[in-house]
Amino acid sequence: MNEFLQAALEEARRGYEEGGIPIGSVLVHNGKIIGRGHNKRVQEGSAILHGEMDALENAGRQPAQVYRECTMYTTLSPCSMCSGTILLYGIPRVVIGENKSFMGEEELLRSRGVDVTVEDNPECYALMQKFMAEQPTVWNEDIGV
């Protein structure tokens, strides 16, 4: 597994250990992680802190050019909110751990020129499936069901 997807998975595991939804992300610029995060909706009572949003928040305000040179690594296919933020900031590449548990807005991202790669990673999938089986109500709330 790529080191950056591994870092995103570590974030997902941290979220799970905190009692939250195990989705993690890292934002990478020039081969260096500049922001990492995990879903904190449960832990912080947040309406928007999905893994990708937390990673962007933790990267802090960046010049537009930096975003245009970044790759977002995330353990699960990005939802419409996170995909919209990826598009808003012009992040050109997204690497996804898995999309079997949830299919986000990959086609939207691709249609807008984002390079989307799905790794189909079994560790990302297993962690998400475990959580979904344990806490289906929390999972459904997270994706607006």
Side-chain angles (χ1 to χ4, degrees):
M1 177 184 330
N2 163 304
E3 70 178 290
F4 300 123
L5 187 56
Q6 182 65 46
L9 182 56
E10 289 166 11
E11 286 292 325
R13 288 183 179 132
R14 183 173 296 135
Y16 181 81
E17 290 165 8
E18 293 170 354
I21 301 159
I23 303 167
S25 298
V26 295
L27 185 65
V28 176
H29 181 253
N30 290 336
K32 180 179 175 226
I33 296 173
I34 63 170
R36 58 174 58 232
H38 54 275
N39 188 304
K40 292 181 179 164
R41 290 190 73 246
V42 172
Q43 300 92 310
E44 296 191 14
S46 171
I48 62 169
L49 278 182
H50 282 190
E52 298 90 339
M53 303 298 271
D54 192 41
L56 282 162
E57 181 71 14
N58 290 329
R61 183 177 170 202
Q62 299 292 326
Q65 186 60 38
V66 170
Y67 294 118
R68 290 193 295 266
E69 298 168 349
C70 282
T71 300
M72 175 71 75
Y73 290 80
T74 184
T75 58
L76 188 65
S77 186
C79 74
S80 54
M81 174 179 65
C82 296
S83 294
T85 303
I86 289 164
L87 293 174
L88 177 69
Y89 289 109
I91 296 169
R93 186 163 187 258
V94 178
V95 177
I96 298 166
E98 66 104 351
N99 63 4
K100 292 178 187 169
S101 299
F102 174 78
M103 174 59 77
E105 298 293 338
E106 294 173 27
E107 289 309 312
L108 172 63
L109 291 170
R110 286 186 182 104
S111 77
R112 298 282 295 276
V114 177
D115 176 9
V116 177
T117 302
V118 180
E119 295 290 328
D120 199 22
N121 180 274
E123 291 176 77
C124 293
Y125 179 73
L127 180 58
M128 202 62 228
Q129 289 298 302
K130 179 179 179 183
F131 175 80
M132 291 167 75
E134 291 171 351
Q135 297 201 50
T137 303
V138 175
W139 169 240
N140 286 337
E141 171 191 307
D142 193 65
I143 57 171
V145 173

